[in-house]
Amino acid sequence: MALLGATAVGLGAYAAHGMASWAEQSTIATVNTAVRYQMWHTLALMGALVWQQLAPRLPLCPVIALWLGGTAAFSGSLYALALGGLSVGLVTPLGGLLLIAGWLALGVTAWRSGRCRQA
């Protein structure tokens, strides 16, 4: 998680300060989108890891795997497009689907834990 957070901050700073001299605004916006999704999912992963420590029997590994894969595919493909000019086709939407699947898996896990039904 630390590496995800650190790269999000570093790439966000680069988009804000280092790209202005050579990149178009749309390219900077693409990097900012990737950074935003990466940082939010880094925070969500940290929350899932805390929850895993508090309730070790909860099956959060699928959630964590989906978010890690989704962040790598979604944000990684946007970085490749913006910074390397590489078109990676359907990787970005696949990453988005993995992120959504992670959130749905989190909801199912919460529901099955019984905590949502007790409230």
Side-chain angles (χ1 to χ4, degrees):
M1 297 321 104
L3 184 59
L4 281 177
T7 56
V9 171
L11 289 166
Y14 182 59
H17 305 290
M19 294 177 66
S21 64
W22 64 268
E24 295 179 15
Q25 283 297 356
S26 62
T27 302
I28 295 170
T30 298
V31 172
N32 284 330
T33 297
V35 166
R36 194 169 44 254
Y37 275 79
Q38 181 175 339
M39 186 54 80
W40 279 113
H41 284 89
T42 299
L43 294 171
L45 282 160
M46 290 174 58
L49 291 173
V50 168
W51 194 14
Q52 185 74 62
Q53 290 296 312
L54 296 174
R57 294 181 185 230
L58 284 178
L60 289 169
C61 287
V63 173
I64 292 167
L66 287 164
W67 281 343
L68 283 172
T71 300
F74 183 82
S75 292
S77 64
L78 289 179
Y79 295 137
L81 175 67
L83 300 173
L86 304 173
S87 178
V88 287
L90 296 176
V91 176
T92 308
L94 174 64
L97 288 174
L98 291 172
L99 293 173
I100 292 167
W103 286 105
L104 294 174
L106 180 69
V108 168
T109 300
W111 182 260
R112 287 185 178 168
S113 75
R115 291 190 172 108
C116 290
R117 291 180 291 208
Q118 294 171 0

